[in-house]
């Protein structure tokens, strides 16, 4: 059950980042949905500074799903990298808005999601590494891993 939830959340998050950066680059977000001071060049640069980490999150998350599908135990490590980066991205954004004293649910909600959902899975994946389950996972068929 936990694995199925992780896979679903990876797909939502990783594709979500790709879509977000695509529509941001194409300037398709209506102005009323943009963050406060969105025309300020410093805030525009701040927002774009998240693009590399967000794209790396997508890359590592999707790669971990690929490795899992192939039955390779390395999916656990790549999942951890993706989750830790996801937490960090959300934490940095929430910290920024908190320091500015601004609360906009349209921006806090997705960033709290990014910050909190990894905390459910990180301890579980670390325990799999510590128990040697990643070695057993690599030797099990892909079907058994999907359970």
């Amino acid at each position: 059950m936990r694995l199925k939830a992780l896979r679903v959340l990876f797909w939502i998050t990783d594709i979500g980042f790709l879509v977000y950066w695509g529509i941001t680059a194409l300037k398709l977000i209506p102005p009323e949905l943009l963050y406060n001071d969105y025309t300020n060049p410093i805030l525009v640069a701040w927002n774009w500074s998240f693009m590399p980490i967000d794209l790396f999150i997508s890359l590592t998350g999707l790669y971990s799903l690929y490795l899992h599908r192939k039955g390779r135990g390395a999916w656990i490590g790549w999942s951890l990298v993706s989750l830790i980066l996801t937490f960090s991205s959300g934490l940095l954004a929430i910290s920024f808005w908190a320091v500015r004293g601004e609360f906009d649910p349209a921006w806090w909600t997705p960033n709290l999601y990014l910050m909190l959902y990894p905390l459910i899975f990180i301890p579980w994946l670390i325990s799999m590494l510590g128990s040697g389950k990643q070695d057993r996972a690599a030797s099990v068929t892909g079907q058994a891993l999907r359970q």
Side-chain angles (χ1 to χ4, degrees):
M1 183 64 172
R2 210 176 332 190
L3 183 55
K4 184 176 183 175
L6 177 63
R7 287 195 335 243
V8 168
L9 291 170
F10 268 9
W11 278 110
I12 290 169
T13 304
D14 299 338
I15 299 304
F17 271 139
L18 297 175
V19 169
Y20 170 75
W21 286 110
I23 63 175
T24 298
L26 296 171
K27 299 180 181 179
L28 297 176
I29 300 175
E32 62 272 10
L33 296 179
L34 290 169
Y35 48 87
N36 193 26
D37 293 333
Y38 75 93
T39 57
N40 180 330
I42 294 171
L43 288 183
V44 171
W46 168 82
N47 188 54
W48 279 100
S49 74
F50 280 84
M51 187 193 56
I53 192 171
D54 291 348
L55 294 181
F56 197 63
I57 289 165
S58 292
L59 177 69
T60 56
L62 293 171
Y63 185 59
S64 72
L65 292 173
Y66 167 80
L67 292 173
H68 178 265
R69 191 173 53 248
K70 294 295 184 182
R72 296 188 46 208
W75 74 269
I76 297 169
W78 286 103
S79 293
L80 277 168
V81 168
S82 184
L83 289 169
I84 291 165
L85 291 174
T86 302
F87 170 82
S88 300
S89 181
L91 175 65
L92 289 171
I94 291 295
S95 298
F96 176 81
W97 296 116
V99 166
R100 285 183 52 105
E102 295 183 28
F103 177 76
D104 180 350
W107 290 98
W108 275 67
T109 301
N111 285 295
L112 283 172
Y113 160 80
L114 294 173
M115 199 173 98
L116 297 175
Y117 102 81
L119 297 177
I120 298 166
F121 298 100
I122 290 170
W124 172 61
L125 292 170
I126 289 172
S127 73
M128 289 179 74
L129 287 174
S131 68
K133 288 184 182 175
Q134 79 279 10
D135 296 329
R136 288 194 298 278
S139 65
V140 176
T141 67
Q143 182 60 33
L145 279 174
R146 289 183 185 85
Q147 297 178 355

